[in-house]
Amino acid sequence: MSLQQGADFERQVQSILKLQGHAVSGERLLGSKKIDLYFEQINFNKKNRIAVECKNYNNRLTKNELIQIFSDYLALIESNLIDQVLLVTSNGLTASSEEYVRLSNRISHATLNDLISTTIDFSQYINNTIFAYEKSPDGLMEYYIQLNSLDSLSIFNNSSDWYVGKGLFPIVQQWIKSEDPMPIAVLGSYGQGKTSFARYLTYTLSIIHTQDNSQRIPIYIKLNAISKEQSVEGLLGRELASSFSIKNYNYAAFSELNYLGKFVIILDGFDEMKHSLSWEEFKFNFGELNKLIGGRSKVIILGRPNAFLNDDEHNFILKGLWNSAFGTLRDSSWPSFHELRLAPLNPDQIKEFLTMYLTFEIKKSKDQSQKKKLQHAINYKISYVLEKKLKDISSRPVQLKMLADLLPYLSTDEDNWTTAILYSEFIKMILSREYTKESSLHISSENRRAFSRKIAVYLWENSNEYSIKNEEIPIGIFREFVHGESRELEKIKRDYVSGCFLSRKLGNSLYFPHKSFQEFFVAEEFVTKINQATHVDLAWIQKNMTKEVSDFFVELIGGNEISRLDRSLSTFRGSLNSQFLKVYLRRNAMTHITEKLKMNSGDPWPYLIYTYCKISKVWPEEDIKLGELICNNFSLKVILQDNLDPRFLVLSIFLLCHNDNYRYRTKYIAELSRSFINECQRFSKTNSAKNSMHTRLTLDTLTNIFSKIIVKKKGGSVSLSDLGPLFFEYLSNWCFVSDWCIGQTTRLPNADFSFFTENDTSFAEGISLAKDIANKFSDSFH
């Protein structure tokens, strides 16, 4: 043991004794003896003067070592300078040493962890954690498989770096053992096993602590209960003091022990506290969680990376980086995280999981025919999963578990399975089982499914949680399923609650087994609404659309639903987000949009959706070329009309910004310049009273456009880059993609604004003339 390690051990002992309320002084000379620590204790009005000897030995202290220590203090006791010696060790005493201490009334002993336990007692918490994992109803212990990370990690330890490979648990284990002060962020999308890993890690560290109480204590905190700004003191108080009733808990003591390196704090589900939070609230809550980082602490956070709406949010939360006028700066008060992205399951992991899980189901089952089906699935169907398209679906643990439940009943000719079909079939299987049970009302599985959708949407709109107490379910949801006298309502409530897809847990709560099930039900409700309603509420759908819901929605929706959407879309005015518009990236939707473009109906949405799809680069080349031709004809037709619609005019220019055809761009700008000059001349010659409001608006729009065009005669180019605010003003409340808006301007992905016209001087002169006229007319319109 080094001198530094010995000094660190003394500081830890002193800190813990202070937490217990003792006024402890550090190393001092008492008589002729230098003692490590000293404090006084009052018992029944009698002062007890205690010298503390700290021994951070690798082995247990022997009796001879103990006698030598005590003899060094004997002179102080006989001189009445101290009353007692407290010996604090890291690894305890041998049996003979313990007996020696027991027989002496002048020396007492405690390990550092004994002192910690008398400060805050985590023993029952550890026992409960182990019991909860080993006896968990889902049986995770029987089939948990080790996950991999896409990232290796360079961990700082002993003034050097350790390079750790791709296994997630070995990486975290080495990081815990190291001196690396950086926290870890485990990132994975839905169903990749983040919570299962957090539970496994908490359990494994608990077992290690029971075998060696000098090892860190795992503290597992779920973040889904955070809905608004939440102090870390309040969060820990609710979880540790209230939920787990940890003896002697107080935040100050916990914080100090954490700083000294006594815990591994596991914060699960930071994305679940993002729902319905503003950026400022989200940032505040992360700032509170960051208070747990410091000293020798070890903090792990887990969550979906799409909790961050953009790279700026991601970089600030996990790196403390922010953009300024001076470039990218770092907030020195904000911690930087190691980032570990979860890897999809590989074929070996898929096979291991299916074998373990189906074996677990065989042990659990009491039905012999069921056991045979499960064994048959192990023997013959696992290889089918690895060879077919199902391998892609199986790459997420949550989906693989569903597939394992379906596998005994799955025929081996299902080549067109998608993730949404997997969820749908799994839910159908669970609800069909419920339908066979005795029920006085015999509620169909279809109605139970509809009830689950209603609960999912209600929670989605009103809470960031995916659980709800029975009494919190709005009565209106139940009334939708009542087709008789109101006295049946109580019967229906009980039967729907007991037989719906949601699971039950202590505290009278229903919850979705995984958040992705709630997301699937929300998407399915969207499709149901589209099929039932004569007019679809697009604003409501897109308001509740996230990436995960969108992924399900795109797979669930068909040609009939797209036709219904279009009827509502043609009258919708405003902005739609890209998560909603992803449905148009499907092959059958591409054909539909192309047909709409051919119709030239005066609906602006097909032109904008075409542009969105073109930017996404998923349409075949022939569809892109056909759509571009139609859009070009539309744009030219707009500017050649006698009564120009200002919004269609701005939309046509927006389409131009995404056009790669040099000849067409030149032709369009030339026609637009001529049209503007002609309009200005007509306006000047006509009595102002005879000019319609429409004409004035059109000319005002053209004036705005040309006043913002930048003409660069040297080199012969024209830039439309300053038109972003104009696009926002005219299109954001009419027909636009909200993801393209930044503040009061617009982002134009993949747009080329430069028009090189070195060989066409008349073209450049025409635009320059239009721009000069626009600058003169500008004041007269404002």
Side-chain angles (χ1 to χ4, degrees), residues 614 628 632 656 659-666 755:
K614 179 183 177 182
E628 186 174 285
N632 292 351
L656 178 76
N659 194 303
D660 301 323
N661 187 313
Y662 161 74
R663 292 185 179 276
Y664 169 73
R665 291 183 303 190
T666 305
F755 297 82

Side-chain angles (χ1 to χ4, degrees), residues 141-323:
M141 184 179 182
E142 299 290 335
Y143 51 84
Y144 180 79
I145 59 171
Q146 296 296 333
L147 302 177
N148 290 331
S149 168
L150 292 172
D151 308 290
S152 56
L153 197 62
S154 175
I155 300 173
F156 176 79
N157 193 63
N158 295 326
S159 302
S160 63
D161 286 339
W162 294 353
Y163 292 92
V164 186
K166 298 301 179 71
L168 183 60
F169 179 71
I171 290 175
V172 172
Q173 199 172 32
Q174 291 294 334
W175 167 76
I176 291 171
K177 292 177 181 178
S178 76
E179 298 171 5
D180 194 319
M182 287 177 63
I184 281 179
V186 177
L187 305 176
S189 58
Y190 81 89
Q192 281 200 276
K194 298 179 295 295
T195 294
S196 293
F197 172 73
R199 289 172 59 194
Y200 169 79
L201 178 63
T202 304
Y203 168 74
T204 304
L205 295 179
S206 297
I207 292 293
I208 292 171
H209 179 79
T210 59
Q211 296 168 346
D212 178 2
N213 65 7
S214 68
Q215 299 299 311
R216 292 175 182 258
I217 298 169
I219 304 295
Y220 177 66
I221 303 290
K222 285 194 70 66
L223 299 176
N224 62 344
I226 298 179
S227 57
K228 292 295 180 183
E229 293 184 354
Q230 169 79 64
S231 70
V232 70
E233 294 93 330
L235 174 66
L236 292 174
R238 183 182 67 241
E239 292 295 316
L240 300 181
S242 300
S243 300
F244 293 101
S245 301
I246 292 177
K247 189 177 179 181
N248 301 329
Y249 172 82
N250 69 83
Y251 176 73
F254 179 89
S255 184
E256 182 63 24
L257 293 175
N258 179 48
Y259 189 85
L260 294 173
K262 298 307 172 187
F263 307 124
V264 176
I265 298 178
I266 303 162
L267 304 171
D268 184 22
F270 65 78
D271 55 291
E272 295 178 30
M273 71 177 183
K274 179 67 172 75
H275 187 65
S276 77
L277 292 185
S278 68
W279 165 240
E280 291 303 322
E281 290 169 333
F282 187 57
K283 188 165 61 172
F284 173 86
N285 285 340
F286 246 99
E288 286 294 300
L289 297 177
N290 287 344
K291 291 179 181 179
L292 297 170
I293 300 167
R296 298 185 64 241
S297 69
K298 293 290 180 180
V299 176
I300 304 175
I301 63 169
L302 304 96
R304 300 182 185 183
N306 63 347
F308 312 117
L309 298 185
N310 50 54
D311 289 344
D312 289 343
E313 288 189 5
H314 184 130
N315 288 332
F316 182 80
I317 293 296
L318 298 185
K319 297 182 176 66
L321 301 176
W322 56 284
N323 295 323

